[in-house]
Amino acid sequence: MGGWGGGEPIYSTRAHVFQIDPSTKKNWVPTSKHAVTVSYFYDSTRNVYRIISLDGSKAIINSTITPNMTFTKTSQKFGQWADSRANTVYGLGFSSEHHLLKFAEKFQEFKEAARIAKEKSQEKMELTSTPSQESTAGDIQSPLTPESINGTDDERATPDVTQNSEPRAEPTQNALGGSSGGPAVHKHWEAELAALKGNNAKLTAALLESTANVKQWKQQLAAYQEEAERLHKRVTELECMSGQANVIKSHKTELNQTIEELESTLKMKEEEIERLKEEMENARQLQAQRDTLTKKLQETETRNKDLELQLAELEQRLEKSQTEQEAFRKNLKTLLEILDGKIFELTELRDNLAKLIECS
């Protein structure tokens, strides 16, 4: 956990994670296949707040909250913020608006805390950067360095006090003596420069050691994350084997919502099927009526030849009815093809729903 200061998360929730497409800067690219845990952490070593999310052993969000960041709610269940340091925009899809508002509230709270911490840090820097001593007209001013601000070792402090006390104790004698104070000041700054070089070497070595430690901590973190993932899978297996009813509430809520959406879609498809069945029944009735008219026309031809004029008129009506019937057949065929596609989609939908319920 050394990558973000360690410790327990301050606040955690679950969401689907997205990042803006770096090529288009418009489309969202999902970075998690399912909802993952998104947590706020406080890094005590750097006095900053971070948003961390892991997908297995991979960190898909590692964002440091700064005072100029803004979390924007773009829809009822979706929010986003830009991270200039990571040169990206993160997006989170929540299971409900309540979870989104809670996350946004925490974002604003830790953003304000980050602003206060930054102001205090700047005030401290300004106080510590003020020189503790002022140079006289004949002295050379020492440059400010991290070592002069934060103090040095005891081995360096003792000779500094001794060398500074003698030339400053009697400034009139140094001025009257002419060149007697020059070599002493020169030696003093040579010793100061040598001490600064030594401290610079120590800081460089410490920085290299810290870099090596960071790499080691990252390796340990990856190992811890793999172990946590394995233990998490083992706990899930044990819960399934023991038949416990208390499955992870967040997963259950997401599954229930998905089931409700699928059931709503299924109901709409069933209503459409019923409507298509009614149209098919009407088509059958029209077909029966056409057959009845044809039979009556044939009986009329055999009974009365004097009605040929009326028969011609009826034949014209029959041709028109056949044309309309052919058009209706085509429409019905198209509707049947659509119905077959919808039935196939419903079958796939039911199979996926069954698989999803079995997996849960």
Side-chain angles (χ1 to χ4, degrees):
M1 304 288 285
W4 50 82
E8 296 295 327
I10 305 174
Y11 173 78
S12 295
T13 186
R14 293 186 66 83
H16 292 269
V17 180
F18 300 84
Q19 282 191 23
I20 201 71
D21 189 345
S23 58
T24 63
K25 297 295 183 181
K26 294 181 179 180
N27 301 325
W28 288 106
V29 179
T31 56
S32 63
K33 296 181 180 178
H34 50 80
V36 296
T37 300
V38 181
S39 303
Y40 286 98
F41 282 86
Y42 175 64
D43 187 346
S44 58
T45 59
R46 296 176 177 83
N47 195 25
V48 294
Y49 293 87
R50 297 182 187 274
I51 302 175
I52 303 295
S53 180
L54 301 176
D55 187 5
S57 60
K58 179 183 178 183
I60 55 179
I61 298 179
N62 187 358
S63 178
T64 301
I65 300 176
T66 60
N68 59 345
M69 281 186 177
T70 301
F71 183 82
T72 305
K73 176 185 174 185
T74 58
S75 68
Q76 187 176 6
K77 299 181 182 180
F78 193 88
Q80 66 184 52
W81 78 95
D83 189 337
S84 58
R85 296 184 180 180
N87 193 25
T88 188
V89 179
Y90 293 105
L92 296 179
F94 296 88
S95 59
S96 68
E97 186 177 10
H98 170 74
H99 290 87
L100 185 148
L101 294 177
K102 187 67 175 177
F103 185 89
E105 177 184 343
K106 292 294 182 181
F107 191 99
Q108 185 64 28
E109 176 184 342
F110 299 137
K111 171 185 171 182
E112 181 65 18
R115 183 188 66 79
I116 295 173
K118 183 178 179 181
E119 289 179 355
K120 289 182 178 180
S121 177
Q122 288 178 346
E123 291 176 359
K124 184 178 179 181
M125 291 275 297
E126 290 174 358
L127 291 173
T128 55
S129 63
T130 304
S132 59
Q133 296 179 348
E134 297 181 355
S135 302
T136 59
D139 290 338
I140 302 174
Q141 187 175 359
S142 175
L144 285 176
T145 64
E147 292 77 6
S148 62
I149 294 174
N150 298 325
T152 57
D153 298 337
D154 292 340
E155 294 177 357
R156 178 188 157 197
T158 301
D160 283 351
V161 173
T162 304
Q163 292 172 1
N164 289 336
S165 60
E166 293 181 358
R168 293 179 184 270
E170 298 177 356
T172 307
Q173 294 179 2
N174 286 338
L176 294 174
S179 63
S180 60
V185 173
H186 183 69
K187 291 180 180 179
H188 163 66
W189 292 120
E190 284 184 349
E192 182 76 13
L193 179 60
L196 290 175
K197 288 182 178 179
N199 285 329
N200 186 37
K202 291 179 181 179
L203 289 173
T204 303
L207 178 60
L208 294 175
E209 183 179 357
S210 298
T211 304
N213 289 336
V214 168
K215 293 181 180 179
Q216 182 179 1
W217 293 336
K218 287 183 178 179
Q219 293 175 355
Q220 291 178 355
L221 172 62
Y224 292 154
Q225 290 170 349
E226 291 177 359
E227 181 67 15
E229 185 70 17
R230 186 185 65 79
L231 292 175
H232 177 71
K233 292 180 180 179
R234 181 57 180 168
V235 169
T236 304
E237 293 174 359
L238 291 175
E239 288 178 352
C240 295
M241 291 172 62
S242 61
Q244 293 181 356
N246 295 327
V247 187
I248 301 176
K249 291 184 179 180
S250 59
H251 288 176
K252 188 175 181 180
T253 303
E254 292 172 6
L255 290 176
N256 288 336
Q257 290 179 349
T258 304
I259 291 172
E260 290 176 359
E261 293 175 357
L262 293 175
E263 287 178 349
S264 176
T265 305
L266 182 61
K267 185 177 180 181
M268 294 175 59
K269 299 298 182 183
E270 289 177 348
E271 292 176 353
E272 187 175 356
I273 290 174
E274 290 297 327
R275 182 177 60 81
L276 293 175
K277 285 182 178 179
E278 291 178 359
E279 293 180 358
M280 290 177 61
E281 186 65 26
N282 293 335
R284 291 194 185 98
Q285 292 177 2
L286 290 175
Q287 181 69 25
Q289 290 176 5
R290 188 185 69 83
D291 293 340
T292 301
L293 290 174
T294 304
K295 185 176 180 181
K296 288 181 179 180
L297 182 60
Q298 291 175 354
E299 292 175 354
T300 302
E301 287 177 350
T302 57
R303 288 178 183 178
N304 194 355
K305 295 182 180 180
D306 295 336
L307 299 177
E308 291 179 357
L309 183 61
Q310 296 179 2
L311 179 62
E313 183 180 355
L314 289 174
E315 287 177 350
Q316 291 177 356
R317 291 180 180 178
L318 179 62
E319 290 176 358
K320 183 178 179 181
S321 176
Q322 287 177 345
T323 302
E324 294 176 352
Q325 198 67 27
E326 186 65 24
F328 183 79
R329 278 201 195 96
K330 292 181 180 179
N331 293 333
L332 182 60
K333 185 176 180 181
T334 303
L335 290 174
L336 287 173
E337 291 176 353
I338 295 174
L339 179 61
D340 290 338
K342 298 298 182 180
I343 292 174
F344 179 75
E345 291 177 0
L346 284 173
T347 303
E348 289 185 337
L349 192 60
R350 286 179 176 174
D351 292 339
N352 292 333
L353 182 60
K355 292 179 180 179
L356 186 60
I357 294 175
E358 290 176 0
C359 292
S360 64

